Amino acid sequence: MAFDLAKKKAFVCDLDGTLFMGPNPIKPAVDFVIANTKSGRFRYFYLTNNTSKCPDEYMKKISGAAIPVAEDQILTPLITLEAYIREKAYKSVYILASEKVTEHMAARLADVEVRFGYDPEENELIALTYDKELTYDKLAKATSLWNMRNCPPSPMCPVRTKNQTPVDFVATHPDNCCPSERGPIPDIGGMMKFLEITNGMKPSHVFGKPSPTLLAPVLAQFKPEEIAVVGDRLYTDKAIADNAGVDFVCVLSGETTLEDLKAYKGTPPAIVVETFNRVEG
Ligand SMILES: [Mg+2]
């Protein structure tokens, strides 16, 4: 069915490749969002899989482009990670994250006294984020923890912890690369692969796009036909729209090219536009 802009009340906007290219705003798209935010024509949410940054950094980035924004408009897998830790009642988490993101998570979970740090006897969860402060030491600690707690004893792996309860492992999102003005740069996908090829460890859950749980706050306020996801990636942005049963607006300002769309085997996007503002024709 054709895309009907008149029916839409909420847009869930991807950021990198859709509203921004690296640090720079994609001006026509941003101007469109500013005008319609000010007039109240549409409600906007900002969806990012990028867990190298805290929500307040996204608010700064978005408001820095002159778009009015509140914290409840930012949707990031760090929210899903927090909900997961609460649901499982984990108290000791080894997180691979920047210092700022680690502090953010500790502050968010201070009320349930979750400890963040490497503790082979106590850790219940290894949480991998898009850690731009990743070091060899962090990767080695993650695999050691997994070896000592989850692998059968073997001459290759002689050191065991007293606590032999398997440690859980989750990743905040599945992206292989992050678009930048200098082309694709590594994201969390390579980090997951690094761990997997070392000792076979694989996450029990991968949050973020395309998991529709990230859209729960939007689906609680609007009907699916009133919502559209806007993004530049078929395997994350279109997938989350499909999984949530809402329209997908594909922009060509980021990763996906017309050639990619021609080769794409799934259902086509509801509409394909050069930049987000062109949904208006
Ligand atoms: Mg993107």
Side-chain angles (χ1 to χ4, degrees), residues 169-186:
F169 168 40
V170 297
T172 50
H173 59 294
D175 299 29
N176 289 332
C177 66
C178 183
S180 82
E181 64 274 34
R182 288 156 287 136
I185 55 171

Side-chain angles (χ1 to χ4, degrees), residues 14-18 20 175 179 209 231-233 236-237 254-255:
D14 166 60
L15 294 175
D16 290 320
T18 300
F20 294 89
D175 299 29
K209 297 179 272 187
D232 68 316
R233 279 183 174 178
T236 56
D237 301 321
E255 188 179 287

Side-chain angles (χ1 to χ4, degrees), residues 97-270:
S98 67
E99 210 178 311
K100 188 162 181 211
V101 168
T102 305
E103 279 169 14
H104 167 78
M105 292 305 296
R108 296 286 311 185
L109 289 155
D111 62 317
V112 283
E113 296 177 354
V114 178
R115 298 177 297 283
F116 287 89
Y118 177 66
D119 187 334
E121 292 292 347
E122 298 290 331
N123 289 149
E124 295 158 293
L125 173 70
I126 300 167
L128 177 66
T129 71
Y130 179 9
D131 182 1
K132 287 193 175 173
E133 295 165 12
L134 186 72
T135 60
Y136 184 83
D137 181 60
K138 288 184 187 179
L139 290 165
K141 278 180 174 150
T143 52
S144 306
L145 192 52
W146 184 269
N147 295 339
M148 293 187 286
R149 296 273 293 278
N150 294 42
C151 297
S154 76
M156 279 283 286
C157 189
V159 178
R160 313 298 295 169
T161 44
K162 279 198 200 90
N163 177 4
Q164 281 292 285
T165 309
V167 64
D168 190 4
F169 168 40
V170 297
T172 50
H173 59 294
D175 299 29
N176 289 332
C177 66
C178 183
S180 82
E181 64 274 34
R182 288 156 287 136
I185 55 171
D187 201 310
I188 197 170
M191 301 177 191
M192 274 192 271
K193 208 73 193 164
F194 200 119
L195 296 170
E196 190 190 339
I197 62 174
T198 302
N199 65 355
M201 63 188 284
K202 278 188 189 170
S204 64
H205 294 81
V206 180
F207 308 129
K209 297 179 272 187
S211 166
T213 50
L214 257 184
L215 298 188
V218 189
L219 286 160
Q221 296 173 59
F222 299 93
K223 293 179 194 147
E225 61 270 24
E226 294 171 340
I227 304 167
V229 172
V230 189
D232 68 316
R233 279 183 174 178
L234 299 172
Y235 63 95
T236 56
D237 301 321
K238 182 172 185 293
I240 194 173
D242 290 350
N243 290 340
V246 305
D247 275 345
F248 176 60
V249 177
C250 181
V251 294
L252 299 173
S253 48
E255 188 179 287
T256 298
T257 62
L258 280 175
E259 287 68 37
D260 294 332
L261 283 166
K262 271 181 214 148
Y264 185 64
K265 299 272 187 276
T267 53

